Amino acid sequence: MTSTETATATVSREIRLAARPVGEPGRHHFDLVTTGVPEPAEGQILVRNTWMSVDPYMRGRMDDAPSYIPPFALGTALEGSAIGEVVASRAASVPVGATVSHFLGWREYAVLDAAAATVVDPAIASPSSYLGPLGTTGLTAYAALTRTAPVTEGDVVFVSAAAGAVGSVAGQLARRLGASRVIGSAGGPLKTRRLLDAFGYDAAVDHRRGDLPGQLAQAAPEGIDVYLDAVGGDHLQAAIGAMRQGGRIALVGAISGYNATAPAVGPDNLFHAAAREVTLRGMLVSSHFDLFPEWIGRAAGWLADGSLHAEETVVDGIEHAPEAFLGMMRGANTGKMLVRLAPAAAPAPAAPTAPAAATAAGAR
């Protein structure tokens, strides 16, 4: 063993999926469970998670339905991106003390194969940045606007969920890529003001005010060339209606329909896209991981010199991770929604027997 933290078995709290939601999830769909963590085997590491991410795609994994990623299993810990410190290692490639990113979030401690972790450099950016602008959310914005719906010089760009994790980066990136005008959609006057003051947008559409086509026409009277869609529904309809000849749409998400209990209503103006020769292309960030080194190489410098502005909405404690997720789904965050996990000073001894010793806290 390479760390005193594993001299006795480690106890960890984790969040498990208690039941599959129908419609909008609630706190009762999650259980907080205390469990023992095994010592790492050969080739594995033990990580004390310090930050974890909550993201819209996780809602789809709560349904027992086929998709591009398997559903969460009932009664087991959820998964997602996390950052942590290696506290024990049986892999020469990942030493104790390294900061790593991995996919076993929603728990305080994780044992995983060293090959499933990526060592990150906290000297060039804060650890939490690797879940936001330097993580898959930042990469999503980069891939969407350089590959899926590439921005060219002089384009007018429209971004939905523009105050969120992807959108807050996308607006600034579109400007760097040569956009002549960047328009964002967000909910409420505080967020739309933030788009203008902090995230590089020229105009802001408040979707809570309604009449998205009218607001978009006012912000872009000659139409738009590129749309990054994270919302679907009425936003996609409005964007198609505003598209200029040869426009490009990156279909990144459709959060407006994630809690729907009936088929979500789609746009009824697709012929406009055909007539304007518009490209609508879906994207999964996992298909663009080859861009990670290029993106981090560029974005880390922008973060360091302050030319890329990033914000975080932070919730403290694993026990509050469900509330962070539910809040993010309702738009409670500006920038990236994160859960900060309190570091443990020393491990507690594991309870004597595993299932009998686990304690669960349901909805309160």
Side-chain angles (χ1 to χ4, degrees), residues 105-266:
W106 293 89
R107 66 203 82 192
E108 293 174 314
Y109 285 83
V111 173
L112 64 152
D113 292 342
T118 301
V119 177
V120 300
D121 186 356
I124 65 171
S126 66
S128 61
S129 295
Y130 290 94
L131 295 176
L134 300 186
T136 54
T137 48
L139 180 65
T140 296
Y142 188 62
L145 297 182
T146 60
R147 281 185 174 174
T148 309
V151 175
T152 59
E153 194 73 30
D155 280 344
V156 177
V157 177
F158 177 44
V159 177
S160 59
V166 174
S168 59
V169 173
Q172 299 171 78
L173 181 59
R175 175 75 68 213
R176 286 184 176 273
L177 294 172
S180 62
R181 186 165 176 80
V182 187
I183 303 154
S185 169
L190 294 179
K191 280 192 176 182
T192 52
R193 187 75 247 168
R194 204 78 192 125
L195 297 186
L196 305 177
D197 294 344
F199 298 133
Y201 285 90
D202 297 298
V205 171
D206 183 352
H207 64 78
R208 293 181 183 172
R209 289 174 49 203
D211 187 21
L212 280 173
Q215 290 191 67
L216 187 54
Q218 185 175 10
E222 297 182 5
I224 62 175
D225 301 287
V226 172
Y227 172 50
L228 192 161
D229 185 26
V231 175
D234 57 352
H235 280 71
L236 181 55
Q237 169 113 3
I240 290 173
M243 276 284 150
R244 299 201 284 209
Q245 196 75 22
R248 287 87 66 203
I249 297 177
L251 301 172
V252 174
I255 195 171
S256 66
Y258 286 174
N259 290 326
T261 55
V265 177

Side-chain angles (χ1 to χ4, degrees), residues 26-87:
R27 183 61 184 81
H28 60 285
H29 291 105
F30 304 88
D31 279 338
L32 174 64
V33 175
T34 301
T35 186
V37 179
E39 295 180 355
E42 189 66 33
Q44 292 187 321
I45 57 176
L46 172 63
V47 180
R48 183 177 66 212
N49 288 335
T50 53
W51 295 89
M52 58 162 276
S53 175
V54 292
D55 300 284
Y57 79 90
M58 294 174 176
R59 174 61 187 87
R61 296 193 69 187
M62 294 176 185
D63 297 331
D64 189 11
S67 186
Y68 65 92
I69 188 170
F72 292 129
L74 289 174
T76 63
L78 284 79
E79 299 173 335
S81 297
I83 295 289
E85 177 190 355
V86 177
V87 295

